[in-house]
Amino acid sequence: MFKSIQWRLVIIFIIVAIALVMPVGLVLNNRVEAIYYDRFVAGVESGFRNWQVNEGAYTLDDMLQYLRDEMNATFLFSLDEYKTYTVIDKANINNIVHSSDGLYNSNMSKFLSEILGSHNLIAVLGGAQEGKESIVIRADSERFYDYARLVRLLDGEYIIYFRYNSAAWSSLTDAFSNAISFSIALALLIATVSGYLLARTITDPIKTLMNTANRIANGDLDQAVEAKSDDEIGKLTDASNKMAKALKANLEEITSEKNKQENILNYSQDGIISYNMKGEVILSNPAATEKLGHDLANTPFDAFAARFEMGDRTAQGILDSGELSNWELTVEYEDRALEIYCSVFSDIANKPGGIIAVIHDVTEQQRLENMRREFVANVSHELRTPLTSIISYSESLLDGGIEDRETSERFLNVIHSEADRMAKLVSELLQLSRFDNNQARWSFGRTDIVMTVKSCVEHLQISAQEKSQALTYYVFGGVPDIWADKDKLAQVFINVIGNAIKYTHDEGNITVYISRMAEEVHIKVSDTGIGIPSEDIPRLTERFFRVDKARSREMGGTGLGLSIAEEIIGAHQGSMSILSELGKGTDVLIRLPIDGATADADTVVA
């Protein structure tokens, strides 16, 4: 094939396309990494300038006390989940005084061996004031940039060593890589097509004559070739063209039908696999590969039937029986629910000619059905519990309990409490329904977020004082007004702070922090309460989910508060994250953009 001029031209076009596109991708990725490292170094150096720790007024204990406050370290050096710092005694490199790196806490020896390979750390150990060369450190499957800085304290010289995980910018470089991959694929396609078209202008006349001669030799005389000369070849071409019209019509019809079938199969949402009577795959569309994987979508019928337990059905058995049968089954495959419809089709002699399997993915339908059932069951249960109490206490009153004033008042208080709980549940369900159907009414405007949080804290002070708890709040720096619905956000803060009060023991502490980070306002609620099991944290915003159902219900919880909070925060284009350790407390961090929320058609703008 590669001896042909046509394909040589195509290969040249492909090589040129790759040579042009790939260097661009490498330059872009390297530039992105350089930008992230420069920002990392700038943030650390800015922190040292603002901190002024090199003036020699600190002891080691002073410095560690300051840095161990995560809020200080975070604001000072612009730290986040990808950046860590480590304090090392310069006089004894094995003496790591303090580290925020997770690897240090889990495997100190491995952490020490990794940082000893740092060129920047070695430079500072060798006498330099700082080490900030952008050299990548590779450890296992992770990549880091680092920065080292000598700090002279009253009681010795120490090195503060920072590491910056490449996961911070890997999503961007991956996006560049994907874009470059797409560009290469597109360039290859264009190169192939353009090279092919260019080559055709050279080779087509030769190929046309060659193909015409071959088909005439094989008895296929329907050819339509333009006669460009009056010599013997031109006369032969004229003779061939007279027989080409009928064949052309037939081929166009066949091609049209083939294209229709291919389009139907390629764009079908259902997987379709066709087998001949030897059990071999003769057709498998993209949807089948997507649902089953390449191997299973192209495996012989007997293995396919065995995988999905279709009894003793085999291709040979179906052929021997001569039965044109149909059957269907529902199976679980990996994390999907699939309905498989199989049918035996016939040949011209009305005998089994092959088998077609149609695979329909019903995972989403089953998931929605399960969610509907679970939701109905939860609502029924939540309504049945207070209704049972109301009915039982009402019956007790009707049976004579009303004569005893003290008993009747106690019963009526219970009935009122349960009715109020039902009203709250119905109100929250209606609010969630409005969110789901985009019918919620919003009132966005410039909102003083500090005053909003402060009023919520003051509102809940009585509840905290009843449990002898310390409920305080702190504001860091200048926190600007944000574009938000004040009342809806107040509902979120009341819920989150209220939960902290509920699930914190008497004499516990609940602290609210308000700060600005870049173009966001962060509100963090920390408590010293009972904490949440780690396996339950991802489900906290599910509707009706409660960690301790009995205790939550006793405290008046419906299991909908955090679901509503998540909807409100999402409408403000913010986010909510929860960190907790069982028995030690919970941190809830709410991030809100300063100018992120946007009013829609149903929004009332203040």
Side-chain angles (χ1 to χ4, degrees):
M1 179 180 71
F2 296 107
K3 294 180 180 180
S4 168
I5 295 176
Q6 176 178 324
W7 289 107
R8 288 178 183 176
L9 288 174
V10 170
I11 291 172
I12 291 173
F13 271 62
I14 291 174
I15 293 173
V16 171
I18 294 175
L20 290 175
V21 175
M22 288 190 65
V24 176
L26 295 175
V27 170
L28 286 176
N29 280 341
N30 290 336
R31 183 54 184 159
V32 168
E33 292 185 352
I35 290 173
Y36 271 86
Y37 182 76
D38 291 342
R39 290 179 179 175
F40 162 59
V41 171
V44 173
E45 291 179 341
S46 174
F48 277 106
R49 287 195 300 272
N50 295 332
W51 188 17
Q52 298 179 346
V53 69
N54 286 333
E55 294 180 0
Y58 282 73
T59 65
L60 176 62
D61 290 338
D62 293 336
M63 183 178 73
L64 291 180
Q65 182 178 3
Y66 183 83
L67 290 179
R68 280 172 177 158
D69 186 332
E70 293 182 0
M71 191 65 69
N72 289 339
T74 298
F75 278 100
L76 192 61
F77 297 111
S78 301
L79 298 184
D80 55 31
E81 58 183 312
Y82 303 108
K83 302 174 186 175
T84 64
Y85 72 94
T86 302
V87 181
I88 305 169
D89 188 348
K90 183 183 178 183
N92 181 6
I93 188 61
N94 292 315
N95 181 17
I96 297 179
V97 180
H98 175 69
S99 177
S100 67
D101 199 295
L103 180 59
Y104 171 78
N105 297 320
S106 62
N107 192 336
M108 185 174 66
S109 61
K110 182 178 180 181
F111 175 75
L112 186 59
S113 67
E114 286 185 4
I115 68 173
L116 286 176
S118 167
H119 183 274
N120 291 328
L121 179 60
I122 292 174
V124 177
L125 288 172
Q129 176 65 28
E130 61 181 359
K132 58 178 182 179
E133 290 192 29
S134 57
I135 300 175
V136 177
I137 299 176
R138 290 177 172 83
D140 293 337
S141 61
E142 296 184 328
R143 298 167 62 245
F144 300 90
Y145 278 118
D146 64 351
Y147 174 92
R149 178 75 170 256
L150 179 65
V151 178
R152 295 183 177 86
L153 304 179
L154 293 175
D155 49 359
E157 293 183 341
Y158 295 86
I159 300 172
I160 302 182
Y161 175 73
F162 298 85
R163 293 211 307 181
Y164 190 19
N165 195 313
S166 67
W169 65 84
S170 60
S171 60
L172 183 57
T173 56
D174 288 345
F176 275 128
S177 297
N178 292 335
I180 295 303
S181 297
F182 175 79
S183 299
I184 290 175
L186 183 61
L188 291 178
L189 177 62
I190 294 174
T192 302
V193 173
S194 58
Y196 177 77
L197 294 176
L198 177 61
R200 282 184 58 182
T201 61
I202 301 172
T203 60
D204 272 2
I206 301 173
K207 285 184 177 181
T208 300
L209 292 175
M210 180 183 66
N211 291 335
T212 300
N214 287 334
R215 292 185 180 183
I216 290 175
N218 293 326
D220 185 2
L221 305 178
D222 265 341
Q223 298 296 310
V225 182
E226 182 181 357
K228 297 183 178 180
S229 63
D230 294 329
D231 56 14
E232 288 79 1
I233 295 177
K235 294 178 181 179
L236 181 60
T237 300
D238 288 335
S240 298
N241 287 339
K242 294 178 181 178
M243 298 179 286
K245 294 182 180 180
L247 179 60
K248 182 179 178 181
N250 291 336
L251 288 176
E252 287 179 349
E253 183 178 354
I254 293 172
T255 301
S256 177
E257 291 300 321
K258 179 176 178 291
N259 289 337
K260 289 178 183 177
Q261 293 178 6
E262 287 182 349
N263 286 332
I264 291 172
L265 292 174
N266 289 336
Y267 292 101
S268 173
Q269 297 299 313
D270 291 333
I272 300 174
I273 306 175
S274 180
Y275 305 88
N276 60 23
M277 289 318 301
K278 293 181 181 180
E280 300 168 338
V281 176
I282 57 177
L283 182 146
S284 177
N285 72 342
T289 302
E290 188 271 331
K291 289 175 172 59
L292 302 178
H294 179 271
D295 293 339
L296 188 54
N298 292 277
T299 194
F301 175 77
D302 292 356
F304 180 84
R307 171 62 182 80
F308 293 115
E309 300 179 355
M310 296 183 184
D312 57 354
R313 288 186 174 91
T314 63
Q316 187 61 44
I318 294 172
L319 179 62
D320 293 341
S321 68
E323 180 183 0
L324 301 177
S325 59
N326 303 309
W327 67 95
E328 63 182 71
L329 66 159
T330 301
V331 299
E332 295 289 334
Y333 180 70
E334 295 181 348
D335 58 347
R336 297 184 177 189
L338 304 175
E339 288 183 351
I340 301 178
Y341 304 89
C342 295
S343 176
V344 181
F345 60 86
S346 62
D347 57 14
I348 297 177
N350 204 32
K351 294 181 180 179
I355 305 165
I356 290 181
V358 180
I359 301 97
H360 181 56
D361 192 339
V362 294
T363 306
E364 185 65 15
Q365 293 91 317
Q366 287 195 1
R367 186 184 71 83
L368 293 175
E369 180 63 19
N370 291 336
M371 287 179 60
R372 185 190 65 81
R373 291 174 180 171
E374 183 178 355
F375 182 78
V376 171
N378 283 328
V379 172
S380 300
H381 179 73
E382 294 296 334
L383 290 175
R384 184 173 63 247
T385 302
L387 279 174
T388 300
S389 297
I390 291 172
I391 292 171
S392 60
Y393 281 98
S394 299
E395 289 177 347
S396 298
L397 289 174
L398 292 173
D399 289 341
I402 197 170
E403 303 298 333
D404 185 341
R405 181 175 180 82
E406 182 179 351
T407 301
S408 62
E409 287 182 354
R410 181 162 53 87
F411 283 10
L412 287 171
N413 282 332
V414 172
I415 292 173
H416 179 269
S417 176
E418 295 298 325
D420 184 63
R421 180 178 161 196
M422 289 176 60
K424 180 181 178 182
L425 174 62
V426 172
S427 176
E428 291 181 347
L429 286 172
L430 287 173
Q431 188 173 10
L432 284 172
S433 176
R434 294 189 188 101
F435 288 141
D436 291 340
N437 294 288
N438 296 321
Q439 295 177 345
R441 300 283 293 174
W442 301 89
S443 182
F444 286 108
R446 302 310 303 181
T447 300
D448 188 337
I449 191 66
V450 174
M451 291 303 299
T452 302
V453 175
K454 178 182 177 181
S455 65
C456 294
V457 171
E458 293 174 349
H459 177 76
L460 293 169
Q461 281 289 359
I462 296 177
S463 300
Q465 291 170 3
E466 290 176 351
K467 300 181 69 175
S468 301
Q469 296 170 341
L471 174 58
T472 56
Y473 73 93
Y474 298 94
V475 180
F476 294 93
V479 178
D481 294 350
I482 67 172
W483 185 255
D485 186 319
K486 177 181 177 181
D487 294 336
K488 294 268 191 323
L489 285 185
Q491 182 181 355
V492 173
F493 301 142
I494 290 290
N495 180 274
V496 174
I497 300 172
N499 283 344
I501 294 173
K502 287 180 185 177
Y503 300 110
T504 298
H505 300 298
D506 292 356
E507 300 182 358
N509 297 315
I510 298 97
T511 308
V512 182
Y513 303 95
I514 312 168
S515 61
R516 174 176 182 169
M517 292 292 291
E519 297 304 314
E520 293 182 333
V521 172
H522 288 192
I523 300 93
K524 180 180 179 182
V525 180
S526 299
D527 65 58
T528 58
I530 61 177
I532 304 167
S534 58
E535 64 272 14
D536 290 333
I537 291 178
R539 302 188 59 195
L540 288 177
T541 56
E542 290 183 13
R543 298 178 185 184
F544 292 109
F545 178 79
R546 288 174 289 206
V547 176
D548 185 344
K549 294 181 173 58
R551 184 170 182 181
S552 297
R553 191 175 289 111
E554 180 183 341
M555 293 179 176
T558 63
L560 297 175
L562 288 180
S563 300
I564 294 174
E566 184 179 51
E567 294 284 353
I568 294 173
I569 294 171
H572 286 76
Q573 298 183 13
S575 64
M576 177 173 64
S577 58
I578 300 174
L579 297 175
S580 183
E581 186 173 352
L582 195 61
K584 294 188 177 181
T586 302
D587 291 341
V588 179
L589 177 61
I590 299 171
R591 299 180 178 89
L592 296 170
I594 296 175
D595 293 302
T598 304
D600 56 25
D602 296 324
T603 301
V604 177
V605 180

